[in-house]
């Protein structure tokens, strides 16, 4: 190889090396994790004018990517029993909320304020009805998921609160109880109030 060719190759190699060195390294996204965050709140059944309180063991696990503005995660609500009054008679209702769609949406932080636009949905299952000493197992569930819109605009301070109104779809799989239970629960205009806070002790 001639001196000229070697010199040319050396110059090209040096230029390529300088170009690689000059490329800035990719910056990592800023991600805020949510690990076992506590979910609380109530769902008020409009037709009964009574509220069902979520159990303390309800949690949210997910992440907020502050760089891309994406928010995602999963809500877990264990089986729980609430007491409501049906025709002035205390009735125990054992229910389970099974997530149908994970929490999906956007998040934007501006100084000390945060803006969240997201939603989730769940199938409401009624496992058991109790009247006095009588316990009746059921396979009742909503024919479609209950959709919850989770929007928030305010200070970046916990607990975050989410308020809205949803429709409880018609019930299916209830057998002879279907018409009665459906008439009591199904319908629009059911208000909900949800909270999100870090785990106790954190």
């Amino acid at each position: 190889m001639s001196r000229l060719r070697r010199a040319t190759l050396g110059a090209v190699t040096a230029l390529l090396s300088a170009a690689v060195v000059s490329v800035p390294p990719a910056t990592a996204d800023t991600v805020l994790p949510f690990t076992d965050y506590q979910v609380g709140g109530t769902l008020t059944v409009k037709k009964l004018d009574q509220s069902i309180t979520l159990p303390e063991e309800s949690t949210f696990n997910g992440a907020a990517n502050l760089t891309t503005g994406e928010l995602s995660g999963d809500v877990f609500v264990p089986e729980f029993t609430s007491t409501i009054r049906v025709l002035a008679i205390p009735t125990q209702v054992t229910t389970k909320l099974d997530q149908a769609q994970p929490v999906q949406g956007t998040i934007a932080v501006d100084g000390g304020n945060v803006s969240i636009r997201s939603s989730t949905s769940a199938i409401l299952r009624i496992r058991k009805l109790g009247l006095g000493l009588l316990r009746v197992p059921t396979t009742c569930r909503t024919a479609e998921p209950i959709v919850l819109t989770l929007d928030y605009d305010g200070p970046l301070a916990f607990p975050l609160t989410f308020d809205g109104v949803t429709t409880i779809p018609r019930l299916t799989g209830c057998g002879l109880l279907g018409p009665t239970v459906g008439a009591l629960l199904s319908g629009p205009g059911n208000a909900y109030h949800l909270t999100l806070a870090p785990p106790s002790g954190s």
Side-chain angles (χ1 to χ4, degrees):
M1 183 182 293
S2 66
R3 289 184 178 180
L4 178 59
R5 182 170 294 181
R6 284 198 298 269
T8 302
L9 288 174
V12 171
T13 301
L15 287 172
L16 289 175
S17 299
V20 172
V21 171
S22 64
V23 174
T27 57
D29 290 353
T30 301
V31 177
L32 175 64
F34 296 95
T35 303
D36 292 334
Y37 268 55
Q38 296 178 328
V39 175
T42 58
L43 170 66
T44 300
V45 181
K46 181 179 180 181
K47 289 183 177 179
L48 297 176
D49 192 24
Q50 297 174 63
S51 295
I52 298 173
T53 301
L54 294 181
E56 295 181 357
E57 298 82 6
S58 303
T59 58
F60 172 72
N61 285 275
N65 189 318
L66 302 183
T67 303
T68 63
E70 297 177 350
L71 173 67
S72 62
D74 296 294
V75 176
F76 169 73
V77 179
E79 185 173 297
F80 64 103
T81 300
S82 302
T83 300
I84 60 176
R85 300 187 72 83
V86 178
L87 301 177
I89 301 173
T91 304
Q92 290 188 326
V93 182
T94 300
T95 55
K96 179 76 168 64
L97 285 169
D98 289 335
Q99 180 179 262
Q101 173 197 303
V103 174
Q104 297 176 334
T106 62
I107 183 170
V109 178
D110 182 10
N113 293 317
V114 63
S115 178
I116 296 174
R117 296 290 181 270
S118 63
S119 65
T120 187
S121 65
I123 295 291
L124 172 65
R125 300 183 185 275
I126 301 176
R127 303 290 198 187
K128 189 182 302 181
L129 293 173
L131 182 61
L133 298 177
L134 181 63
R135 298 290 184 270
V136 181
T138 78
T139 57
C140 276
R141 64 177 180 84
T142 52
E144 299 173 354
I146 298 175
V147 178
L148 302 178
T149 299
L150 307 175
D151 292 346
Y152 175 81
D153 292 287
L156 183 54
F158 293 101
L160 300 180
T161 60
F162 305 91
D163 294 282
V165 177
T166 189
T167 295
I168 298 178
R170 67 179 180 85
L171 298 178
T172 185
C174 303
L176 296 177
L177 296 173
T180 301
V181 176
L184 293 173
L185 298 180
S186 300
N190 306 282
Y192 58 88
H193 172 77
L194 302 177
T195 61
L196 180 67
S200 300
S202 62

